[in-house]
Amino acid sequence: MKITELLSKNTILLNIEGNQKEETINQLVDILLKADKISDASEFKAAILKREEQSTTGIGDGIAIPHAKTKVVKEAAIVFGKSASGVNYESLDGKPAHLFFMIAAPEGANNTHLEALAKLSGLLMKAEVRYELLKATTPEEIIETINRYDKEDKEEKKETNTPNKKHFIVAVTGCPTGIAHTYMAADSLKAKAAEMGVDIKVETNGSGGAKNVLTSEEIKQATAVIIAADINVEMERFKGKHVIQAAVAEGIRRPQQIIDLALKQDAPIYHGNGNKSNQESEKKGSRTGFYKHLMNGVSNMLPFVVGGGILIAICFMFGYNSFKPDDPSYNQISEALMTIGGGNAFGLIVPVLAGFIALSIADRPGFAPGMVGGMMAASGGAGFLGGLVAGFLAGYVVLLLKKMFSGLPRSLEGIKSILLYPLFGIAITGFIMLYVVNKPVAWLNGTIADWLTGLGTGNAVLLGIVLGLMMSFDMGGPVNKAAYVFGTGLLASGVYGPMAAIMAAGMVPPLAIAIATTLFKNKFNDQDRDAGKACYVMGLSFITEGAIPFAAADPLRVIPSVMAGSAIAGALSMAFGIGLRAPHGGIFVVPLVEGGALLYALAIIIGSIVAALLIGFLKKPIK
């Protein structure tokens, strides 16, 4: 079946109005209703939003593929929508979405329909397809473009043969609905593997069942196994193999990094657990499990840090004490900003961190004990460190409770989540936090704050170097986040120097890339130079992740260069005695620094120029 058998002129919307996610979904659902493809718009929209809660369908590169499979769909259909200005769709790359393909699949969707939808997902991975769709101005051009690229699917004939390349890996992809992300992750992994000269076979666990299923012989020959899935997959067959586990979105966005891990066998060996899913295996292997749980807490905490931090920075523009009613500089708006940002958004940082760590470990029953434990850590002076302890404590307490209550009669199953887990989970976590954790961790927090406050110039510079190296090592990864959260945690203790060094160091990588692409044009292609212009904005806005594409393309030259520049910026910031009370904002909060805005700007500029020169000298000219 061709894709355009599911997409017609009356299901094409060339001008999406507004720039918000839900209003875009409303417009696309309305097109389906008018085309008589669905019987109930509200129920279909609810199914779409439920899928969005699991993970965003904004896959990056300006594309979003909202989709649902439900009984209210009369016949399988695709709605195409386009927004020239872009929609804030919470995409994986943080950029606006411009192209939308809303997929409506009936509960009884046959394999022919599902294969057509899978082909659509694969087509959208091609940059030339996206470019032509963006240029199209009529429904006829949209359909003609898709027809031109829609070729018969040749069922991966090479993958059924015995692999003969030096490196061979196998992979499994799957998403909750099994319509779009499953196949996009598979196509992304296969395309990148072909580019790297790696033989790969990918099993897709879609709505129509598992396709291209891995054989025992292929698994035996594989260097490693990649699981890029948000669903449980059969795991016992991978016993004894190195298994890399990632979200399906990572298979789409980070195929090279995942394949590199597989080739290096940089993952725990799966030892089996008697189950046929990957749910328990994720909790085995301390490295994978700990990182996953910690980053779940940190990623959900960061919006509170960023939003609250910028509101605090705006408050400080009225004066550092302008939010205090008894101060001569008092301003009512300043007090409101501090109440919202500092008193409430920042007040939720530690509870949210702990709650989502516990949620990652023990699922929904762990959330309430984690939140309560985090609140006790915050109010008891244990701060960020106490929140970490509370999150892991609550999660594993609830896991223990699940085992303890597993022998209860099935008739009592319903009261576990609404009564037993919250009652005993909150009580046990609370008692341990109150009588065991809070006091020693609060003492440790105070000791660290006193030590940092009393640092001499030499030690302060060394700390700035270490923080700078951490900020640029993985540019948004766990090491970067560890340094950032360390700095934000110290703000509550009145220590502002490390936060200044962290922000200066975090601004360097994208700024260095921007400067390098400007000064050394013969070292970058046209696409890189265009992307480099955007890095000016991202660097000035303290978005370190802007440098990731350049680092991924040439890690041996780019990463050491930006690490050197960030270390210099962090060291200079500490040496100049700079302090910063706002945990985010980039150039917009530079005027608020303590110790001299010009000196702070100088530290950032010197670090960025050094890194840019190193990149320019190390990279080879483009042939």
Side-chain angles (χ1 to χ4, degrees):
M1 172 178 274
K2 294 181 70 66
I3 294 170
T4 48
E5 292 180 49
L6 304 178
L7 175 70
S8 57
K9 293 180 183 179
N10 64 341
T11 59
I12 292 177
L13 178 62
L14 292 174
N15 297 298
I16 290 175
E17 298 178 356
N19 62 357
Q20 297 303 311
K21 182 174 183 176
E22 190 161 348
E23 61 183 332
T24 298
I25 289 174
N26 286 339
Q27 293 173 64
L28 298 176
V29 171
D30 190 50
I31 294 290
L32 281 172
L33 185 65
K34 290 177 180 177
D36 198 30
K37 302 296 183 182
I38 57 175
S39 59
D40 188 323
S42 60
E43 188 171 337
F44 182 74
K45 179 186 172 184
I48 289 285
L49 294 177
K50 184 177 180 181
R51 171 63 186 87
E52 293 294 327
E53 288 174 4
Q54 295 169 331
S55 62
T56 181
T57 58
I59 61 171
D61 292 324
I63 302 170
I65 310 182
H67 53 273
K69 186 177 180 182
T70 171
K71 62 183 180 182
V72 301
V73 178
K74 295 181 178 181
E75 60 177 301
I78 298 171
V79 176
F80 170 81
K82 183 164 68 168
S83 168
S85 58
V87 174
N88 299 323
Y89 205 86
E90 303 168 3
S91 298
L92 295 173
D93 59 2
K95 298 178 181 178
H98 296 271
L99 299 175
F100 299 85
F101 286 86
M102 178 173 279
I103 298 172
E107 284 191 340
N110 58 40
N111 287 341
T112 306
H113 289 153
L114 296 174
E115 286 168 7
L117 299 175
K119 284 198 290 182
L120 170 65
S121 304
L123 288 184
L124 294 177
M125 299 303 295
K126 298 179 180 178
E128 59 269 29
V129 176
R130 301 194 299 269
Y131 176 72
E132 292 192 29
L133 291 174
L134 281 170
K135 285 199 311 178
T137 57
T138 66
E140 290 79 7
E141 289 181 50
I142 298 293
I143 291 173
E144 191 276 330
T145 297
I146 293 175
N147 273 334
R148 188 156 20 93
Y149 287 96
D150 182 11
K151 299 175 182 177
E152 289 300 318
D153 186 18
K154 297 178 180 177
E155 183 69 27
E156 302 172 24
K157 294 177 182 178
K158 290 184 180 179
E159 292 191 349
T160 60
N161 299 327
T162 302
N164 53 20
K165 295 184 180 179
K166 183 179 179 181
H167 298 298
F168 175 61
I169 55 179
V170 295
V172 181
T173 64
C175 68
T177 52
I179 294 175
H181 288 56
T182 299
Y183 304 101
M184 298 190 82
D187 289 335
S188 179
L189 287 167
K190 287 185 285 188
K192 183 55 67 174
E195 182 183 313
M196 298 169 66
V198 176
D199 203 359
I200 189 171
K201 178 173 180 180
V202 185
E203 173 184 310
T204 55
N205 283 239
S207 292
K211 295 291 179 63
N212 210 34
V213 177
L214 303 175
T215 67
S216 57
E217 182 63 25
E218 288 164 339
I219 295 170
K220 181 180 178 181
Q221 293 181 15
T223 303
V225 179
I226 295 171
I227 307 292
D230 293 337
I231 59 173
N232 292 337
V233 300
E234 184 183 341
M235 291 294 295
E236 284 300 294
R237 51 188 169 154
F238 304 129
K239 191 173 181 179
K241 306 296 294 187
H242 291 274
V243 177
I244 293 89
Q245 296 194 359
V248 68
E250 292 188 79
I252 298 172
R253 302 299 306 169
R254 299 175 58 247
Q256 181 167 342
Q257 292 92 323
I258 295 173
I259 292 172
D260 281 337
L261 290 174
L263 295 177
K264 296 174 184 175
Q265 297 186 325
D266 189 8
I269 293 177
Y270 180 72
H271 296 294
N273 54 37
N275 295 329
K276 290 191 175 182
S277 77
N278 63 340
Q279 189 173 14
E280 292 298 322
S281 67
E282 288 180 354
K283 292 169 187 172
K284 304 249 183 197
S286 57
R287 179 180 168 196
T288 304
F290 178 84
Y291 166 74
K292 173 193 169 190
H293 306 322
L294 175 62
M295 291 310 294
N296 191 57
V298 170
S299 62
N300 283 285
M301 176 197 78
L302 283 179
F304 295 87
V305 176
V306 175
I310 294 176
L311 289 176
I312 292 171
I314 297 172
C315 163
F316 289 154
M317 290 181 180
F318 295 92
Y320 280 124
N321 295 311
S322 59
F323 61 91
K324 298 178 181 179
D326 56 350
D327 192 86
S329 64
Y330 171 71
N331 182 285
Q332 191 173 2
I333 299 298
S334 176
E335 182 185 17
L337 290 169
M338 180 57 74
T339 299
I340 298 167
N344 292 280
F346 257 46
L348 286 170
I349 287 175
V350 174
V352 167
L353 171 73
F356 279 95
I357 288 175
L359 175 72
S360 178
I361 295 170
D363 211 345
R364 291 179 63 182
F367 187 66
M371 285 287 289
V372 173
M375 183 66 75
M376 294 181 71
S379 61
F384 174 75
L385 292 177
L388 288 176
V389 175
F392 284 98
L393 171 65
Y396 288 112
V397 162
V398 173
L399 282 185
L400 179 61
L401 290 173
K402 286 183 176 183
K403 289 185 179 180
M404 291 174 59
F405 296 144
S406 61
L408 291 177
R410 294 191 64 182
S411 58
L412 298 178
E413 193 70 28
I415 70 168
K416 289 182 182 179
S417 294
I418 63 172
L419 175 62
L420 299 181
Y421 295 146
L423 172 62
F424 289 100
I426 291 173
I428 294 171
T429 302
F431 274 110
I432 295 175
M433 289 300 297
L434 188 61
Y435 293 110
V436 179
V437 175
N438 273 358
K439 288 185 180 179
V441 175
W443 172 85
L444 180 61
N445 275 338
T447 302
I448 292 173
D450 291 342
W451 174 69
L452 289 171
T453 304
L455 277 179
T457 302
N459 288 333
V461 169
L462 179 59
L463 177 62
I465 291 173
V466 172
L467 292 173
L469 293 172
M470 292 176 70
M471 287 300 292
S472 290
F473 175 71
D474 53 1
M475 288 170 279
V479 177
N480 170 284
K481 289 293 188 289
Y484 179 68
V485 172
F486 171 74
T488 57
L490 290 171
L491 294 180
S493 303
V495 180
Y496 309 124
M499 189 68 245
I502 286 164
M503 190 175 296
M507 294 169 70
V508 165
L511 287 175
I513 293 295
I515 295 169
T517 55
T518 301
L519 296 180
F520 303 97
K521 294 184 178 181
N522 64 324
K523 305 291 182 78
F524 299 92
N525 58 36
D526 292 340
Q527 185 177 0
D528 287 341
R529 290 197 295 272
D530 286 340
K533 296 173 184 175
C535 283
Y536 279 112
V537 178
M538 286 190 277
L540 294 173
S541 303
F542 184 40
I543 302 175
T544 314
E545 290 84 348
I548 288 177
F550 293 87
D554 193 0
L556 294 179
R557 295 180 178 87
V558 173
I559 293 177
S561 300
V562 297
M563 286 179 69
S566 292
I568 291 170
L572 289 174
S573 177
M574 294 296 285
F576 294 154
I578 305 296
L580 182 61
R581 303 188 185 200
H584 213 282
I587 192 174
F588 304 104
V589 297
V590 168
L592 302 175
V593 299
E594 301 172 0
L598 291 178
L599 286 175
Y600 189 52
L602 184 63
I604 297 168
I605 292 169
I606 291 174
S608 300
I609 291 175
V610 169
L613 293 175
L614 287 172
I615 292 171
F617 293 146
L618 292 175
K619 283 186 72 69
K620 296 178 180 179
I622 296 292
K623 294 183 181 180

